[in-house]
Amino acid sequence: CQRVMGAELDAAVAFEAELLSDLEGRAERTPQIAAIRKQLPITALECELLSTLENEQVVVISGGTGSGKTTQIPQFILDDAIRRGNGSGCNVIVTQPRRIAATSVAERVAEERGEHVGKSVGYRVRMQSKRPRDAGTIDFCTTGVLLRQLQSDPTLEGINYVIVDEVHERDINTDFLLLLIKDVLKRRPDLKLILMSATLDAKSFADYFSGAPLVEVPSATRYPVKEFYLEDLPAILGDRSAFQVLFLSRILFARGWH
């Protein structure tokens, strides 16, 4: 028995060392992606977010599209656990309102981690899944899939973090999920819940969970935007396009674009 326990301990230590080695070498494997990640607005709040999660059971995060919250926050959580030597004990579920979002985000996060879907990152949608490994994972799924999991596993045993993304897209599945999760949190004080919203009504979700802290991600313009006006297009495009521009402007005007 002692020999078996010793072998299991050695395997656990080796796995944690593998996770840490993989984390430390990631920036060298994917330097361009690492540079892009550093520029995301959410990156500046990494330490604040992790500190808040350590002290609170529920956190609401509000940030506009493109702030990086969907792809980065699950990685912040898992990478922090790896640095603390508890990567194998960290399992994150992230819900998305649509199938295409769950699969595409999982693929993007796996790419950022320099791996294929099915290692530390996986997804589960209706009729299709690529499950991650058993420990130290980020699992993207639709809201409906998590609701079905709650039917067979009402306390979400083995899960440490539940992230409900796009929570502002109020539908019956999301509302029902929040109702069930609120009950699970009472039975699982070690379980953490993160609600992520792209709108300013995030405070209503914070109030629903007894005044949970609200973290706002500053918006930033990631790409330059330049305005053009219809009357200037003939000069820009040349005389040959003048007729097309005039035709387009008439259509837009008729549809109320004026």
Side-chain angles (χ1 to χ4, degrees), residues 221-228:
T221 302
R222 296 181 58 194
Y223 304 100
V225 177
K226 189 173 182 180
E227 292 184 349
F228 294 94

Side-chain angles (χ1 to χ4, degrees), residues 186-198:
K186 297 175 183 177
R187 292 178 284 167
R188 284 276 315 275
D190 60 313
L191 181 65
K192 305 284 188 178
L193 173 65
I194 300 101
L195 305 177
M196 299 198 297
S197 172

Side-chain angles (χ1 to χ4, degrees), residues 190-211:
D190 60 313
L191 181 65
K192 305 284 188 178
L193 173 65
I194 300 101
L195 305 177
M196 299 198 297
S197 172
T199 62
L200 297 177
D201 68 345
K203 188 176 182 304
S204 62
F205 299 105
D207 293 340
Y208 179 70
F209 286 93
S210 304

Side-chain angles (χ1 to χ4, degrees), residues 151-196:
Q151 290 180 331
S152 58
D153 182 12
T155 60
L156 296 177
E157 187 170 349
I159 303 302
N160 310 99
Y161 297 86
V162 174
I163 301 177
V164 182
D165 196 11
E166 309 292 357
V167 71
H168 59 278
E169 294 192 13
R170 300 287 301 277
D171 59 15
I172 189 169
N173 282 343
T174 301
D175 287 351
F176 193 40
L177 177 63
L178 295 182
L179 181 66
L180 293 178
I181 289 291
K182 190 174 185 179
D183 183 62
V184 174
L185 292 174
K186 297 175 183 177
R187 292 178 284 167
R188 284 276 315 275
D190 60 313
L191 181 65
K192 305 284 188 178
L193 173 65
I194 300 101
L195 305 177
M196 299 198 297

